[in-house]
Amino acid sequence: MPSWIGAIILPLSGLLLSLPAGADVKARSCGEVRQAYGAKGFSLADIPYQEIAGEHLRICPQEYTCCTTEMEDKLSQQSKLEFENLVEETSHFVRTTFVSRHKKFDEFFRELLENAEKSLNDMFVRTYGMLYMQNSEVFQDLFTELKRYYTGGNVNLEDMLNDFWARLLERMFQLINPQYHFSEDYLECVSKYTDQLKPFGDVPRKLKIQVTRAFIAARTFVQGLTVGREVANRVSKVSPTPGCIRALMKMLYCPYCRGLPTVRPCNNYCLNVMKGCLANQADLDTEWNLFIDAMLLVAERLEGPFNIESVMDPIDVKISEAIMNMQENSMQVSAKVFQGCGQPKPAPALRSARSAPENFNTRFRPYNPEERPTTAAGTSLDRLVTDIKEKLKLSKKVWSALPYTICKDESVTAGTSNEEQCWNGHSKARYLPEIMNDGLTNQINNPEVDVDITRPDTFIRQQIMALRVMTNKLKNAYNGNDVNFQDTSDESSGSGSGSGCMDDVCPTEFEFVTTEAPAVDPDRREVDSSAAQRGHSLLWWSLTCTALALQRLCR
């Protein structure tokens, strides 16, 4: 071979060896990258026209590249922002579900109470006239306390209802005995005979059962919607770790640095990155699913025996029925009270000549069907709860499904049908590593994200505890029980309604503070009236639960 040919070949071979593998003349240009980079809103002053040596890169492959240090930094921040937006957008459905359904249920419940109060007031003004108006604060206070309980106030429903009937008895006792003067002490004695005399018939007992369990269920359900809304809002605002940000940059924008701005990540590659970045969120899934199941159980109660609408809509008729019972038995009631509390003092002569006002003995006339107020908030409880149940079912497993939902987005990955022509983190080729399982502990061998499995996210653990507390409250509301409790762990605390033993296991992580409602069997319309007299201390609870658990009856 002539020497001049060798002189030409040797420099050419050296030039070829200096090019990256698979490079061609077109790949050396950064024209496509410049166009894509500018479309992101970045200044083209940062980007070269031709590929440069990549020793300065800290995340992307250190080969010939179109990225400067400034570009890598900006694209790294861009990948972080896009990831945060993706998580927010993907969890949009579950967040809006809880926001909108909480608003609708709350609106319905408040309007239902307003309608019930207005209906009672209208009926009683029409029936009893001035006598009702002079004593209307007794009924107003009843609705005020019911509203306060619903909004989370420290109201004991049983005591409050007992107080209502005792106050009503005092007022009516004076009205049916206008010839006597009753001191405060005497009226207090009258109140003590309420349970023994049953002046209002069986209405107070039945109404107490219905109102108590319906309000417990409704309040706990709306609290559940609140907790679901808050947890979803908080969890959807992620703060990616440094390891996650590096992995996101490598997946989303290192193709830019390699001169491949149109090549999207492989689907399985995306899944591993997302599973590593959202490992803690996936750990929320178990408690979230239990919470959703408990919400669905209470929803069933609201549709059935704990239907707040069927309790509040006719409450005026029921209270009037109780008043009529008192009127019909007024002589017997008065005689027994006089026997137990003593003969009262006669009233002044002017009053003693009067008898019970004529219109007080008027029989109650209920509304005609067409006069009955329309359903609250333009819907009914059944329709409202059915809609909420459908949306709740769709929100199950939402947190573990986040990586799959994000990576299914065609604007993010190349999809499952293009596994050979996608970005695998190093080049345009098939992604070979296996897909990691869900959750933090399964990321120990994640090939894409550096995850510290020994340090669970404290913020996510707080949301898990909030869901756990709420789930226990929902389970207790399902059984018609009302308990104020406080979680004794260091992570979180909560208070509200709930009691009982679920799944044959007595709760050990909660300190029961007070238990005020009677033990109600939700499948029966009767209640053991002696239950309210049981001791409700923590010791009693523990001993009873332990004994019942041994019989597998602690439910």
Side-chain angles (χ1 to χ4, degrees), residues 158 162 198 202-213 479-481 516-534:
E158 183 186 3
N162 287 342
K198 296 189 186 310
D202 208 29
V203 173
R205 185 184 67 84
K206 290 182 177 179
L207 196 60
K208 185 191 299 183
I209 297 170
Q210 295 165 359
V211 168
T212 298
R213 65 189 189 181
N479 282 349
N481 298 325
E516 300 294 352
V520 179
D521 183 344
D523 296 319
R524 295 169 52 201
R525 299 187 63 83
E526 304 298 323
V527 65
D528 181 3
S529 60
S530 65
Q533 306 302 322
R534 294 174 183 167

Side-chain angles (χ1 to χ4, degrees), residues 141-419:
D141 289 347
L142 169 66
F143 283 96
T144 297
E145 289 300 286
L146 288 174
K147 292 172 189 174
R148 194 162 72 88
Y149 174 84
Y150 169 71
T151 55
N154 187 21
V155 177
N156 182 296
L157 284 175
E158 183 186 3
D159 287 350
M160 184 272 292
L161 291 168
N162 287 342
D163 184 59
F164 165 74
W165 292 112
R167 289 178 66 194
L168 187 58
L169 174 60
E170 290 178 10
R171 299 295 179 94
M172 289 195 63
F173 193 76
Q174 294 176 80
L175 289 172
I176 63 177
N177 293 287
Q179 67 274 32
Y180 296 108
H181 170 73
F182 300 102
S183 65
E184 290 296 324
D185 290 341
Y186 196 96
L187 290 174
E188 186 176 344
C189 179
V190 173
S191 298
K192 292 178 180 177
Y193 279 84
T194 304
D195 291 336
Q196 181 181 337
L197 296 174
K198 296 189 186 310
F200 300 108
D202 208 29
V203 173
R205 185 184 67 84
K206 290 182 177 179
L207 196 60
K208 185 191 299 183
I209 297 170
Q210 295 165 359
V211 168
T212 298
R213 65 189 189 181
F215 267 79
I216 290 170
R219 181 173 85 160
T220 310
F221 191 70
V222 80
Q223 286 177 347
L225 291 173
T226 302
V227 169
R229 178 191 68 191
E230 294 304 313
V231 169
N233 282 337
R234 290 167 181 165
V235 175
S236 64
K237 299 186 184 303
V238 294
S239 297
T241 64
C244 172
I245 295 172
R246 287 179 60 87
L248 291 168
M249 168 61 194
K250 186 177 178 182
M251 180 183 84
L252 295 173
Y253 287 112
C254 282
Y256 279 52
C257 298
R258 290 304 312 275
L260 304 169
T262 60
V263 178
R264 291 177 182 159
C266 301
N267 185 75
N268 290 354
Y269 175 33
C270 174
L271 284 174
N272 273 345
V273 172
M274 292 302 159
K275 288 197 175 196
C277 288
L278 297 169
N280 283 282
Q281 283 75 8
D283 282 349
L284 187 77
D285 224 37
T286 299
E287 205 63 50
W288 175 267
N289 293 338
L290 292 172
F291 161 71
I292 295 297
D293 288 339
M295 287 287 290
L296 291 171
L297 285 174
V298 175
E300 290 177 6
R301 288 295 199 216
L302 288 171
E303 290 178 313
F306 296 2
N307 190 311
I308 191 72
E309 189 173 23
S310 65
V311 172
M312 293 308 298
D313 194 41
I315 196 170
D316 45 14
V317 177
K318 293 176 181 178
I319 292 176
S320 183
E321 178 188 340
I323 291 174
M324 285 189 287
N325 285 333
M326 174 70 178
Q327 291 174 235
E328 292 168 355
N329 300 308
S330 59
M331 293 184 65
Q332 298 94 313
V333 170
S334 297
K336 290 181 179 178
V337 169
F338 295 160
Q339 182 180 358
C341 299
Q343 191 68 21
K345 296 179 181 179
L350 180 63
R351 189 177 177 187
S352 62
R354 295 167 57 196
S355 59
E358 183 179 347
N359 69 335
F360 180 73
N361 292 307
T362 302
R363 301 280 306 176
F364 174 75
R365 294 182 294 110
Y367 269 125
N368 292 322
E370 62 271 15
E371 292 178 291
R372 174 67 62 183
T374 56
T375 316
T379 186
S380 69
L381 185 65
D382 288 340
R383 288 198 298 272
L384 185 60
V385 171
T386 297
D387 171 68
I388 294 175
K389 283 170 61 179
E390 290 174 356
K391 297 298 188 295
L392 288 176
K393 289 174 184 176
L394 293 174
S395 70
K396 290 191 71 174
K397 299 184 179 180
V398 64
W399 306 113
S400 60
L402 275 180
Y404 298 92
T405 308
I406 291 173
C407 295
K408 189 169 62 177
D409 190 334
E410 292 182 357
S411 67
V412 178
T413 69
T416 55
S417 62
N418 198 13
E419 295 182 359

Side-chain angles (χ1 to χ4, degrees), residues 87-148:
V87 175
E88 276 212 68
E89 290 170 9
T90 306
S91 60
H92 177 76
F93 167 77
V94 69
R95 288 184 289 116
T96 55
T97 291
F98 279 91
V99 169
S100 61
R101 270 53 190 183
H102 174 272
K103 181 180 179 182
K104 192 67 176 178
F105 190 89
D106 184 64
E107 177 188 3
F108 172 84
F109 196 95
R110 291 174 186 272
E111 192 170 320
L112 181 69
L113 290 181
E114 294 292 339
N115 286 350
E117 184 174 13
K118 182 179 183 299
S119 178
L120 184 143
N121 184 72
D122 292 345
M123 289 182 181
F124 280 43
V125 166
R126 184 179 63 176
T127 304
Y128 302 117
M130 188 58 67
L131 281 174
Y132 164 71
M133 289 185 280
Q134 290 172 345
N135 298 279
S136 61
E137 75 274 7
V138 176
F139 303 92
Q140 291 169 359
D141 289 347
L142 169 66
F143 283 96
T144 297
E145 289 300 286
L146 288 174
K147 292 172 189 174
R148 194 162 72 88

